[in-house]
Amino acid sequence: MCGIIGYNGYRNAQPVILDGLKRLEYRGYDSAGIGIINKKLQVHKQVGDISRLIDSIPSFTGTIGIGHTRWATHGKVTETNAHPQLNTSKTIAIVHNGIIDNFLELKNHLQQKGYVFQSQTDSEIIAHLIDEHYHKDFQDAILKTIRQLRGSYAIVAISQKDPDTIIAARNESPLVIGIGDNENLVASDIPALLKYTNRVIYLDDGEICILKKKSVTILDSAGTQKQKETHLVTWDVRDAEKAGYPHFMLKEIHEQPHALTQGLVGRISEINRTVSFHEKIERLLRKPIQKIHLIACGTSFYACYIGKYLFEQLTNIPVQIDLASEYRYFSPKQPDAFVIAVTQSGETLDTLGALRTAKKTGCQTLVITNVIGSTATRIANAYLLTQSGPEIGVAATKTFTSQILMLYLLALKIASNQQTISSDDLYHTLIELRELPREVRQILHQTEEIKTLAHNISNSTSLFYIGRGINYPLALEGALKIKEISYIHAEGFAAGELKHGPFALLSPETPVIAIATHDKIFDKMLANIGEIKAR
Ligand code: M6R
């Protein structure tokens, strides 16, 4: 994952790009670089995080430029491998996120033509290919280049020969255009643009964008101009700042009550005893639903797993859950399934692939996402926004709880449509849901206790999470978070399963976190905890 930004406008580009890179640092930061044109192309690259780039960069002037923060895939972490990557005469600069599958074949072709490579990256071929095709027309050179590329890419390019133009191209890697007044931007993620504009256009696969100071033109891969919708992002630039927290993950954990409140606003009415969504979703839900397929990756998949329990308890509709990466290739074709994809970003490749497969099969599709205008919202028949605010922490926290809330609301809505929930039960549930943000806030007030517990387990090398029922997928998510953030080996188990093998891994040094809530299997959970203590 790399971060990309481009700026073309009236301001000095250097601070805009450096600020954008700072906001994209969460995408990876083993090295970074910037390229600015002021008659001549000026480039500076640095190994390390963005602050090292900022500390070492000379002051470049110029109102057009590009920047990149790298997380190495092809080639070591070196200044040469950092982006921008250049052509031999150092007149063309490109930044790239993605992987070019046919890069060896293209590299051989370019080497035979005399091109000499400086870096070990797959991205450098893009600069040389543009150079090869660049006779008079920058746009034509990019179009010819992307027709040769196979794989995933978000590319942003500038050229000294066309010093007023940025060209961006995308295939399977997100790129968003920010529309300003007398200035336009392009970036891999919205937070990098928010300081300058909240009007955005999402590029689709195969499209290229010609970004001038005062205009933005989108073309398809054949070079034909396209009209695209401009979306208004409701996020504020302050949403993308740490607001006094030491890091974004902690900020986002504490944003859960607010995110949950936002998710409920306008969707539940205790007085009317209703759950309601916008008309497109309402129409989808009015159709008879025989079976539901929930698909996602990672944390979003665990939200789906919880969703399965919720749907099945409330509606009696059979629910199948699938990892999107498996569904794409192995799921039986079931056109009568109602497919709900869950993806915070709306850009996860496997989830997009699964959604496309479901649509091709003839299924009705709904996506639950946090990002308006993301690719998933444009594939599915309808979309439901979690309204959690931007997720910058990478480790999903507030977006996970918001996803579960959305699944719960959908389950309640379908149950109410099918009358598998009584009006009174719905009423009481809605009252409880209204209390949810406050209750989450109460848990967050226990920071000191949580810190002490975390400290006690921080030196463990292995850890178990256990739960039953709806708390089983929660245990899986807990284990995922421990692995991802603490680099401690962690496993989530259904509590009743420990005796079927995993007990072998338990030692007195293994912390076991049991999620024991007052539900119908609370006693069984206590028995499981007793078994663990006995061992
Ligand atoms: O954007 P998505 O929800 O589609 O992302 C899917 C996973 O990559 C994501 O949930 C990941 O597992 C979490 N960020 C981990 O904390």
Side-chain angles (χ1 to χ4, degrees):
M1 214 164 66
C2 303
I4 287 181
I5 175 147
Y7 175 81
N8 192 357
Y10 60 87
R11 302 172 206 257
N12 195 5
Q14 180 167 318
V16 177
I17 293 168
L18 291 176
D19 178 67
L21 289 180
K22 257 299 223 192
R23 291 171 193 279
L24 291 173
E25 213 170 6
Y26 63 92
R27 292 187 68 98
Y29 48 83
D30 59 35
S31 54
I34 173 167
I36 290 186
I37 296 180
N38 187 1
K39 296 198 184 85
K40 278 197 166 302
L41 177 62
Q42 316 153 88
V43 172
H44 181 71
K45 305 197 268 188
Q46 179 72 50
V47 169
D49 62 15
I50 310 299
S51 57
R52 291 196 60 191
L53 181 78
I54 293 173
D55 290 344
S56 60
I57 196 168
S59 152
F60 293 150
T61 49
T63 56
I64 178 167
I66 57 179
H68 187 269
T69 167
R70 178 170 188 248
W71 187 246
T73 51
H74 277 70
K76 292 188 195 129
V77 180
T78 63
E79 210 172 290
T80 318
N81 287 340
H83 296 210
Q85 289 292 316
L86 310 177
N87 63 335
T88 309
S89 60
K90 299 188 171 29
T91 52
I92 296 167
I94 67 103
V95 288
H96 167 227
N97 177 30
I99 293 172
I100 305 300
D101 295 337
N102 58 338
F103 106 96
L104 275 178
E105 182 191 311
L106 291 169
K107 187 171 178 178
N108 286 339
H109 153 85
L110 286 161
Q111 280 172 327
Q112 275 162 22
K113 293 205 141 194
Y115 284 92
V116 178
F117 281 75
Q118 305 298 326
S119 76
Q120 301 158 317
T121 66
D122 55 342
S123 311
E124 188 181 346
I125 56 146
I126 301 168
H128 292 309
L129 282 174
I130 298 171
D131 181 272
E132 185 192 18
H133 294 303
Y134 202 157
H135 303 300
K136 282 204 180 87
D137 189 340
F138 189 20
Q139 176 182 314
D140 184 59
I142 299 271
L143 279 169
K144 287 188 172 133
T145 298
I146 62 166
R147 281 179 205 138
Q148 286 180 277
L149 301 180
R150 283 204 310 274
S152 62
Y153 54 80
I155 301 165
V156 181
I158 48 175
S159 162
Q160 206 175 281
K161 285 198 265 174
D162 191 346
D164 302 321
T165 309
I166 290 180
I167 304 190
R170 130 165 206 166
N171 192 50
E172 296 183 357
S173 281
L175 264 188
V176 55
I177 312 295
I179 312 292
D181 297 321
N182 284 325
E183 58 182 348
N184 292 305
L185 300 100
V186 55
S188 44
D189 303 74
I190 294 168
L193 314 170
L194 276 179
K195 199 166 166 186
Y196 308 96
T197 184
N198 64 349
R199 287 178 289 149
V200 302
I201 295 176
Y202 295 90
L203 278 196
D204 280 311
D205 287 348
E207 289 178 346
I208 76 163
C209 172
I210 318 296
L211 207 85
K212 304 267 190 192
K213 181 176 163 183
K214 295 190 178 180
S215 69
V216 162
T217 312
I218 315 283
L219 310 173
D220 65 16
S221 55
T224 311
Q225 200 169 324
K226 291 178 82 174
Q227 290 308 319
K228 299 267 300 188
E229 191 183 346
T230 303
H231 296 267
L232 220 55
V233 179
T234 52
W235 299 344
D236 191 270
V237 66
R238 278 166 305 185
D239 293 337
E241 282 160 5
K242 286 188 208 146
Y245 286 96
H247 48 76
F248 279 108
M249 186 177 171
L250 193 58
K251 179 187 178 221
E252 290 167 14
I253 286 170
H254 283 274
E255 280 175 341
Q256 286 176 99
H258 180 65
L260 293 169
T261 306
Q262 290 300 107
L264 291 170
V265 168
R267 289 180 175 143
I268 62 169
S269 164
E270 299 86 322
I271 297 174
N272 297 326
R273 302 181 173 208
T274 52
V275 176
S276 49
F277 301 106
H278 63 75
E279 184 46 31
K280 256 192 178 172
I281 299 181
E282 292 280 334
R283 240 181 290 139
L284 267 184
L285 300 183
R286 274 197 293 272
K287 295 182 184 165
I289 298 173
Q290 309 303 338
K291 54 177 95 125
I292 294 173
H293 282 184
L294 298 171
I295 49 177
C297 302
T299 294
S300 302
F301 174 74
Y302 296 136
C304 288
Y305 210 147
I306 291 174
K308 175 180 163 69
Y309 284 87
L310 296 170
F311 279 108
E312 289 184 337
Q313 269 166 28
L314 284 161
T315 70
N316 294 328
I317 299 175
V319 180
Q320 181 181 321
I321 49 168
D322 276 292
L323 288 163
S325 53
E326 295 291 305
Y327 179 92
R328 279 178 85 171
Y329 303 106
F330 304 112
S331 177
K333 305 268 171 286
Q334 299 182 12
D336 56 342
F338 178 47
V339 172
I340 304 177
V342 179
T343 164
Q344 183 284 132
S345 59
E347 299 292 349
T348 301
L349 273 190
D350 283 320
T351 309
L352 297 181
L355 254 181
R356 289 192 180 102
T357 306
K359 274 202 94 175
K360 232 196 254 157
T361 307
C363 305
Q364 292 297 316
T365 55
L366 170 71
V367 67
I368 297 176
T369 184
N370 192 32
V371 184
I372 185 169
S374 55
T375 307
T377 63
R378 284 169 288 133
I379 300 174
N381 296 97
Y383 62 86
L384 177 58
L385 289 176
T386 44
Q387 311 275 29
S388 325
E391 178 187 281
I392 300 179
V394 179
T397 53
K398 62 174 179 176
T399 56
F400 173 63
T401 38
S402 296
Q403 287 170 346
I404 298 168
L405 178 63
M406 292 307 113
L407 288 161
Y408 195 24
L409 293 181
L410 281 171
L412 287 170
K413 175 75 186 182
I414 295 172
S416 153
N417 283 354
Q418 300 187 338
Q419 295 176 355
T420 47
I421 188 169
S422 70
S423 171
D424 281 354
D425 284 350
L426 180 61
Y427 172 74
H428 291 298
T429 307
L430 295 182
I431 301 263
E432 283 177 359
L433 268 181
R434 196 62 87 185
E435 287 296 302
L436 184 61
R438 198 179 55 80
E439 301 203 346
V440 171
R441 199 167 285 122
Q442 271 178 14
I443 293 175
L444 294 174
H445 282 156
Q446 300 175 45
T447 307
E448 288 313 311
E449 291 92 320
I450 295 170
K451 263 192 191 165
T452 309
L453 285 172
H455 181 76
N456 289 348
I457 60 175
S458 61
N459 288 325
S460 315
T461 49
S462 187
L463 184 152
F464 283 11
Y465 256 101
I466 58 165
R468 297 183 79 125
I470 207 163
N471 292 330
Y472 164 47
L474 201 56
L476 296 174
E477 168 59 10
L480 173 68
K481 217 93 299 173
I482 292 280
K483 287 183 250 204
E484 188 182 13
I485 296 303
S486 315
Y487 300 160
I488 295 174
H489 168 254
E491 299 275 353
F493 293 107
E497 278 299 291
L498 288 184
K499 55 182 168 294
H500 299 293
F503 262 151
L505 289 175
L506 264 187
S507 80
E509 285 76 43
T510 318
V512 179
I513 301 176
I515 309 171
T517 47
H518 285 275
D519 49 20
K520 65 178 181 192
I521 34 98
F522 183 62
D523 289 344
K524 293 219 174 300
M525 228 8 243
L526 292 185
N528 293 138
I529 294 168
E531 281 164 18
I532 293 166
K533 289 201 76 170
R535 294 201 55 112

